[in-house]
Amino acid sequence: SDIRLSRKFDRWVGSLVLKADRVELGANMLSAPSGRVTLDGGIKRTNFTLALGQAGLRTSPLTVKRLALEGSGYFGQVNGQWSGSAKGDVRLRESALDAGTLGNADQMVAATKNTPVGPIMARIVPTLRNAGNRFNGEAGFEFFRNASGATGVLLSAANLQGASGLRLQQQGVLDLRSKG
């Protein structure tokens, strides 16, 4: 690791090597994360790059044995408010959804039983549930938080492959925004 600070401690430039047995944030945990972060900036704005490789992830509703992430962006604080954004790619290997994640799916099958889509739903739901037990995937992402507290995640080019043979590909951008 090599971080250089200005004489007034208001500017930093350099890189950090990341390596830990685990990192916990609430109910979320990264196991054996390792990688590198580069920083260039100060309290109002710091530009960064991040390369994280082969960490495990445990969060509700997802467990990932091998997570890799590469991205860049900025973060900063102005008038006591934090903001930032990041853009990059994420790869998931040997992933699984928690039991019950598709809980309402059985209700959907029952509700559509006597409709034209009933037989299709009856076949799709078990296939999705089986695929959720073990899958790999990758996606592009953008994350932001502005000074007013609005946050958002944009996912693009998501590609999931289930061990059952199911393959899901996202066309376009999935926009998950909240208002601050």
Side-chain angles (χ1 to χ4, degrees), residues 54-108:
Q54 304 307 315
L57 172 68
R58 177 67 193 112
T59 186
S60 181
L62 180 67
T63 299
V64 179
K65 286 193 180 179
R66 292 186 337 237
L67 168 75
L69 183 121
E70 292 183 16
S72 61
Y74 80 93
F75 61 90
Q77 185 182 42
V78 177
N79 298 326
Q81 300 298 316
W82 285 96
S83 64
S85 73
K87 181 177 183 175
D89 297 298
V90 62
R91 290 178 303 285
L92 314 172
R93 298 294 178 256
E94 300 179 55
S95 308
L97 294 173
D98 292 348
T101 300
L102 297 175
N104 292 337
D106 290 332
Q107 293 172 356
M108 194 167 31

Side-chain angles (χ1 to χ4, degrees), residues 20-23 29-34 53-58 64-65:
D21 290 333
R22 71 181 188 195
V23 175
M29 183 186 73
L30 280 174
S31 58
S34 65
Q54 304 307 315
L57 172 68
R58 177 67 193 112
V64 179
K65 286 193 180 179

Side-chain angles (χ1 to χ4, degrees), residues 9 12 26 37 41 45-47 65 77-78 87 92 96 99 102 108 115 118 122 137 139 147 151 164:
F9 296 103
W12 36 83
V37 176
R45 182 180 175 113
T46 296
N47 296 318
K65 286 193 180 179
Q77 185 182 42
V78 177
K87 181 177 183 175
L92 314 172
L102 297 175
M108 194 167 31
T115 70
T151 60
S164 64

